[in-house]
């Protein structure tokens, strides 16, 4: 995971989105894996991967965006670790 996050973080150094200045299917395909909260993933993305964090913030600003957990039906079950 660290290697993959590092590659994406470095890729976003000079890009607003994965492919240029506008979001594409590449952004939406990848971002679903990136919104896991710290208590579930163990990754503090904001601290460890600042370019990923900034990208996620840009995605959150898109019209119609909703948190993945807000879109899922049913009750959220927190991890037990």
């Amino acid at each position: 995971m660290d290697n993959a996050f590092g590659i994406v973080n470095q890729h976003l150094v000079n890009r607003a989105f994965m492919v240029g200045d506008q979001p594409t299917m590449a952004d939406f395909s990848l971002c679903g894996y990136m919104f896991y909260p710290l208590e579930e993933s163990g990754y503090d993305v904001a601290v460890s991967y600042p370019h990923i964090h900034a990208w996620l913030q840009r995605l959150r600003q898109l019209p119609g965006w909703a948190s993945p957990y807000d879109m899922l039906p049913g009750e959220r079950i927190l991890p037990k670790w």
Side-chain angles (χ1 to χ4, degrees):
M1 286 285 287
D2 290 318
N3 287 339
F5 276 42
I7 291 167
V8 172
N9 192 64
Q10 188 61 36
H11 182 79
L12 290 166
V13 167
N14 296 316
R15 294 174 180 84
F17 296 98
M18 293 305 294
V19 184
D21 295 328
Q22 299 295 320
T24 67
M25 198 56 149
D27 296 282
F28 299 118
S29 295
L30 179 59
C31 78
Y33 299 100
M34 306 301 292
F35 284 106
Y36 289 106
L38 175 61
E39 64 269 11
E40 290 183 28
S41 69
Y43 283 88
D44 191 345
V45 173
V47 171
S48 300
Y49 304 100
H51 302 293
I52 292 175
H53 177 70
W55 168 68
L56 293 173
Q57 295 301 101
R58 287 189 289 277
L59 290 173
R60 285 182 172 103
Q61 299 305 310
L62 294 173
W65 184 88
S67 167
Y69 281 119
D70 291 342
M71 294 174 42
L72 291 171
E75 182 181 339
R76 183 172 172 198
I77 300 171
L78 296 175
K80 297 182 186 226
W81 58 79

